[in-house]
Amino acid sequence: RADGRALRKLPVHVGLVVTEEEPSYADMASLVVWCMAVGISYVSVYDHNGIFKRNNSRLMDEILKQQQELLGLDCSKYTLEFANQDKTGQVLNCQSTLKVLSPEDGKADIVKAAQNFCQLVAQQQRTHSDLDVNMLDNLLSSTNGFPDPDLVLKFGPVDSTLGFLPWHIRLTEIISLPSHLNISYEDFFSALHHYAACEQRWGK
């Protein structure tokens, strides 16, 4: 937590995007727990084959195990909500929310937002000319419930985010790392340090 406070700025939402073919549950769990420990509020885990999403209970078990190992007695200070559960969420013990995503998630959000807008037009609450960037932003945030990612850590040799939340990352800082396999806390914190030092000009 002291490392997080030492940074000039800390991302609110971090996307962890794996482009490698063989995702590691243990290494991804370490990354999630490190995000929790430094004080990041929202974490999204994504791989383009949807392996983590299909096996999210296995990932959750690994996160619980790593939380005990890495945070020890301090783990009671950290609560993680698993946002993919239909119930209110499995609570681990950090004030972070985790989503496990696959390629259909970003596209489904856009489809749902478009349907909501069409309903508003049909009910004559909006006209078709009202649709702009801000309106779509508002519709997406109402369906998604997460702020847009400030930072994406992309792991692997592919120079693409491979469909990760296509609309939500247009203002996101993307940092590429060679692999998530055997990643060290020093590599993770170095990426956060790089993000804290970057100046985002928002197209100016």
Side-chain angles (χ1 to χ4, degrees):
R1 190 51 67 98
D3 285 346
R5 285 196 294 267
L7 295 170
R8 192 166 60 87
K9 61 179 177 178
L10 190 67
V12 174
H13 179 184
V14 170
L16 303 171
V17 176
V18 175
T19 66
E20 296 156 282
E21 290 302 319
E22 295 293 327
S24 160
Y25 292 90
D27 291 311
M28 184 51 66
S30 293
L31 284 158
V32 171
V33 174
W34 294 337
C35 286
M36 294 164 61
V38 298
I40 293 164
S41 300
Y42 298 93
V43 182
S44 295
V45 169
Y46 177 92
D47 71 280
H48 63 289
N49 292 318
I51 295 170
F52 285 130
K53 187 170 183 180
R54 282 197 304 278
N55 301 286
N56 56 26
S57 58
R58 182 175 165 190
L59 178 61
M60 197 62 171
D61 289 344
E62 189 63 46
I63 291 168
L64 278 163
K65 179 178 152 204
Q66 299 262 356
Q67 195 186 19
Q68 291 286 342
E69 287 174 7
L70 297 175
L71 302 176
L73 294 172
D74 280 345
C75 79
S76 60
K77 299 176 188 170
Y78 301 88
T79 321
L80 180 69
E81 183 182 339
F82 201 51
N84 292 73
Q85 302 291 340
D86 292 332
K87 31 188 190 194
T88 50
Q90 239 175 306
V91 175
L92 301 184
N93 266 336
C94 113
Q95 298 69 44
S96 296
T97 308
L98 172 70
K99 268 191 179 175
V100 184
L101 305 171
S102 62
E104 66 265 17
D105 288 298
K107 293 171 189 167
D109 282 348
I110 294 171
V111 169
K112 203 183 295 180
Q115 289 171 335
N116 291 348
F117 181 74
C118 290
Q119 284 176 344
L120 292 172
V121 172
Q123 294 161 2
Q124 298 185 330
Q125 295 177 30
R126 294 280 177 190
T127 67
H128 67 279
S129 58
D130 290 335
L131 187 59
D132 59 12
V133 169
N134 291 331
M135 167 68 74
L136 186 54
D137 254 351
N138 292 335
L139 288 165
L140 277 169
S141 58
S142 68
T143 61
N144 187 34
F146 260 42
D148 290 349
D150 310 285
L151 171 64
V152 163
L153 299 180
K154 182 193 73 64
F155 303 97
V158 181
D159 287 330
S160 167
T161 53
L162 298 176
F164 173 73
L165 299 179
W167 176 268
H168 309 72
I169 59 169
R170 65 202 189 289
L171 302 175
T172 299
E173 188 71 23
I174 299 173
I175 295 175
S176 294
L177 295 162
S179 176
H180 74 303
L181 302 173
N182 301 314
I183 188 164
S184 68
Y185 176 76
E186 287 70 28
D187 290 336
F188 166 76
F189 189 67
S190 174
L192 290 186
H193 208 277
H194 179 81
Y195 168 79
C198 76
E199 187 180 340
Q200 288 163 299
R201 296 178 178 272
W202 313 115
K204 294 175 185 159

